[in-house]
Coordinates of all heavy atoms in Angstrom, one line a residue:
E540 N 0.1 4.8 1.0 CA 1.5 4.6 0.5 C 1.6 4.0 -0.9 O 2.5 4.5 -1.7 CB 2.3 3.8 1.5 CG 2.5 4.7 2.9 CD 3.3 3.9 3.9 OE1 3.6 2.6 3.7 OE2 3.6 4.5 4.9
A541 N 0.7 3.2 -1.3 CA 0.6 2.7 -2.7 C 0.4 3.8 -3.7 O 0.8 3.6 -4.8 CB -0.5 1.6 -2.8
R542 N -0.3 4.9 -3.2 CA -0.5 6.1 -4.0 C 0.5 7.2 -4.0 O 0.3 8.2 -4.4 CB -1.9 6.5 -3.9 CG -3.0 5.6 -4.4 CD -4.4 5.8 -3.9 NE -5.3 4.9 -4.6 CZ -5.5 3.7 -4.2 NH1 -4.7 3.1 -3.4 NH2 -6.5 3.0 -4.8
G543 N 1.6 6.8 -3.2 CA 2.7 7.7 -3.2 C 2.6 8.7 -2.0 O 3.4 9.6 -1.9
Y544 N 1.7 8.5 -1.1 CA 1.6 9.5 0.1 C 2.6 9.1 1.2 O 2.8 7.9 1.3 CB 0.1 9.6 0.7 CG -0.8 10.1 -0.2 CD1 -1.6 9.4 -1.0 CD2 -0.8 11.5 -0.5 CE1 -2.5 9.9 -1.9 CE2 -1.7 12.1 -1.4 CZ -2.7 11.2 -2.1 OH -3.5 11.8 -3.0
E545 N 3.1 10.1 2.0 CA 3.8 9.7 3.2 C 2.8 9.6 4.3 O 2.0 10.5 4.5 CB 4.8 10.8 3.4 CG 5.6 10.7 4.7 CD 6.5 11.9 5.0 OE1 6.6 12.7 4.2 OE2 6.8 11.9 6.3
T546 N 3.0 8.5 5.2 CA 2.0 8.4 6.2 C 2.7 8.3 7.6 O 4.0 7.9 7.6 CB 1.2 7.1 6.1 OG1 2.0 6.0 6.1 CG2 0.3 7.1 4.8
V547 N 2.1 8.7 8.6 CA 2.5 8.6 10.0 C 1.3 8.3 10.8 O 0.1 8.7 10.4 CB 3.3 9.9 10.5 CG1 2.3 11.1 10.5 CG2 3.9 9.6 11.8
S548 N 1.4 7.6 11.9 CA 0.3 7.2 12.6 C 0.2 7.3 14.1 O 1.3 7.6 14.6 CB -0.2 5.7 12.4 OG 0.9 4.9 12.9
A549 N -0.9 7.5 14.7 CA -0.9 7.6 16.2 C -2.2 6.8 16.6 O -3.2 6.5 15.9 CB -1.4 9.2 16.5
R550 N -2.1 6.3 17.9 CA -3.0 5.3 18.4 C -4.1 6.1 19.1 O -5.2 5.5 19.5 CB -2.3 4.4 19.5 CG -1.2 3.5 18.8 CD -1.7 2.5 17.8 NE -3.0 1.9 18.4 CZ -3.0 0.5 18.6 NH1 -1.8 -0.1 18.5 NH2 -4.1 0.0 19.1
D551 N -4.0 7.3 19.5 CA -5.0 8.0 20.2 C -4.9 9.5 20.1 O -3.9 10.1 19.3 CB -5.1 7.7 21.8 CG -3.8 8.1 22.5 OD1 -3.3 9.2 22.3 OD2 -3.3 7.3 23.3
G552 N -5.8 10.3 20.5 CA -5.9 11.7 20.3 C -4.6 12.5 20.9 O -4.1 13.4 20.4
R553 N -4.2 12.0 22.1 CA -3.0 12.7 22.6 C -1.8 12.6 21.8 O -1.1 13.5 21.6 CB -2.8 12.1 24.1 CG -3.8 12.6 25.1 CD -3.4 11.9 26.4 NE -4.4 12.0 27.4 CZ -4.6 11.4 28.5 NH1 -3.8 10.5 28.9 NH2 -5.5 11.7 29.4
Q554 N -1.6 11.3 21.4 CA -0.3 11.1 20.6 C -0.5 11.8 19.2 O 0.4 12.4 18.6 CB -0.3 9.6 20.3 CG 1.0 9.2 19.6 CD 1.2 7.7 19.3 OE1 0.1 7.0 19.2 NE2 2.5 7.3 19.2
A555 N -1.7 12.0 18.7 CA -1.9 12.7 17.5 C -1.6 14.1 17.6 O -1.0 14.7 16.7 CB -3.4 12.5 17.0
L556 N -2.0 14.7 18.8 CA -1.8 16.2 19.0 C -0.2 16.4 19.1 O 0.3 17.3 18.6 CB -2.4 16.6 20.3 CG -3.9 16.7 20.2 CD1 -4.5 16.9 21.6 CD2 -4.3 17.8 19.2
E557 N 0.5 15.5 19.7 CA 2.0 15.6 19.8 C 2.6 15.5 18.4 O 3.5 16.4 18.1 CB 2.6 14.5 20.7 CG 2.2 14.6 22.2 CD 2.6 13.4 22.8 OE1 3.3 12.5 22.4 OE2 2.2 13.3 24.2
I558 N 2.1 14.6 17.5 CA 2.7 14.4 16.3 C 2.4 15.6 15.4 O 3.3 16.1 14.7 CB 2.2 13.0 15.7 CG1 2.9 11.8 16.4 CG2 2.6 13.0 14.1 CD1 2.2 10.6 16.0
A559 N 1.2 16.0 15.4 CA 0.7 17.2 14.6 C 1.5 18.4 14.9 O 1.6 19.4 14.2 CB -0.8 17.4 14.9
A560 N 2.0 18.6 16.2 CA 2.8 19.8 16.6 C 4.1 19.9 16.1 O 4.8 20.9 16.1 CB 2.7 19.9 18.1
Q561 N 4.6 18.7 15.7 CA 6.0 18.5 15.3 C 6.3 18.9 13.8 O 5.3 18.6 13.0 CB 6.5 17.1 15.5 CG 6.5 16.7 17.0 CD 6.9 15.2 17.1 OE1 7.1 14.6 16.1 NE2 6.8 14.8 18.4
E562 N 7.4 19.3 13.5 CA 7.8 19.6 12.0 C 8.2 18.3 11.4 O 9.0 17.5 12.1 CB 8.8 20.5 11.8 CG 8.4 22.0 12.3 CD 7.7 22.8 11.3 OE1 7.6 22.3 10.2 OE2 6.9 23.6 11.7
P563 N 8.0 17.9 10.2 CA 7.0 18.7 9.4 C 5.5 18.3 9.7 O 5.3 17.2 10.1 CB 7.3 18.1 7.9 CG 7.8 16.8 8.2 CD 8.5 16.7 9.5
H564 N 4.7 19.3 9.7 CA 3.3 19.1 10.1 C 2.6 18.2 9.0 O 2.9 18.4 7.9 CB 2.6 20.6 10.2 CG 3.2 21.4 11.2 ND1 3.2 21.1 12.5 CD2 3.8 22.6 11.1 CE1 3.8 22.0 13.2 NE2 4.2 22.9 12.4
P565 N 1.6 17.6 9.4 CA 0.9 16.8 8.3 C 0.1 17.7 7.6 O -0.3 18.7 8.0 CB 0.0 15.8 9.2 CG -0.1 16.4 10.6 CD 1.2 17.3 10.7
D566 N -0.1 17.3 6.3 CA -0.9 18.0 5.3 C -2.4 17.7 5.5 O -3.3 18.5 5.2 CB -0.6 17.7 3.9 CG 0.9 18.2 3.7 OD1 1.3 19.3 3.8 OD2 1.8 17.3 3.4
L567 N -2.6 16.5 6.1 CA -4.0 16.0 6.2 C -4.1 15.0 7.5 O -3.1 14.3 7.6 CB -4.4 15.3 5.0 CG -5.9 14.6 5.0 CD1 -7.0 15.7 5.1 CD2 -6.0 13.7 3.8
I568 N -5.1 15.1 8.2 CA -5.2 14.2 9.3 C -6.5 13.5 9.1 O -7.6 14.1 9.1 CB -5.3 14.9 10.7 CG1 -4.1 15.8 10.9 CG2 -5.5 14.1 11.8 CD1 -3.9 16.7 12.1
L569 N -6.4 12.1 9.1 CA -7.6 11.2 9.0 C -7.7 10.7 10.4 O -6.8 10.0 11.0 CB -7.3 10.1 8.1 CG -7.1 10.5 6.5 CD1 -6.9 9.3 5.8 CD2 -8.3 11.3 6.0
L570 N -8.9 10.9 11.1 CA -9.1 10.3 12.6 C -10.4 9.7 12.8 O -11.4 10.1 12.3 CB -8.7 11.5 13.5 CG -9.6 12.6 13.5 CD1 -9.9 13.1 14.9 CD2 -9.0 13.8 12.8
D571 N -10.3 8.7 13.6 CA -11.3 8.1 14.2 C -12.1 9.1 15.2 O -11.5 9.8 15.8 CB -11.0 6.8 14.9 CG -12.0 5.9 15.4 OD1 -13.2 6.2 15.1 OD2 -11.7 5.0 16.1
V572 N -13.4 8.9 15.3 CA -14.0 9.8 16.2 C -14.1 9.3 17.7 O -14.0 10.1 18.6 CB -15.7 10.0 15.7 CG1 -16.4 10.9 16.7 CG2 -15.5 10.6 14.4
M573 N -14.3 8.0 17.8 CA -14.2 7.5 19.2 C -13.0 6.7 19.5 O -12.7 5.7 19.0 CB -15.4 6.5 19.2 CG -16.8 7.1 19.1 SD -18.3 6.1 19.1 CE -18.0 5.2 20.5
M574 N -12.2 7.3 20.4 CA -10.8 6.9 20.7 C -10.7 7.1 22.2 O -11.3 7.9 22.8 CB -9.7 7.5 20.0 CG -9.7 7.2 18.5 SD -8.3 8.0 17.8 CE -8.8 9.7 17.8
P575 N -9.8 6.3 22.9 CA -9.4 6.6 24.3 C -8.8 7.9 24.5 O -8.1 8.5 23.6 CB -8.5 5.5 24.7 CG -8.2 4.7 23.4 CD -9.0 5.2 22.4
H576 N -8.8 8.5 25.7 CA -8.1 9.7 26.1 C -8.7 10.9 25.4 O -9.6 11.6 26.1 CB -6.6 9.7 25.9 CG -6.0 8.5 26.4 ND1 -5.9 8.3 27.8 CD2 -5.3 7.5 25.9 CE1 -5.3 7.2 28.0 NE2 -4.9 6.7 26.9
V577 N -8.5 11.2 24.1 CA -9.0 12.4 23.5 C -9.7 11.9 22.1 O -8.9 11.3 21.3 CB -7.9 13.4 23.1 CG1 -8.5 14.6 22.3 CG2 -7.3 13.9 24.5
G578 N -10.9 12.0 21.9 CA -11.5 11.6 20.7 C -11.4 12.5 19.6 O -10.8 13.6 19.8

Side-chain angles (χ1 to χ4, degrees):
E540 288 181 356
R542 287 165 176 73
Y544 295 102
E545 176 187 347
T546 64
V547 63
S548 63
R550 299 293 312 247
D551 60 48
R553 287 182 188 162
Q554 187 181 25
L556 290 171
E557 292 172 7
I558 292 170
Q561 298 172 5
E562 294 285 341
H564 301 295
D566 297 300
L567 176 68
I568 301 174
L569 298 175
L570 62 141
D571 187 6
V572 175
M573 296 175 53
M574 293 180 293
H576 308 297
V577 179

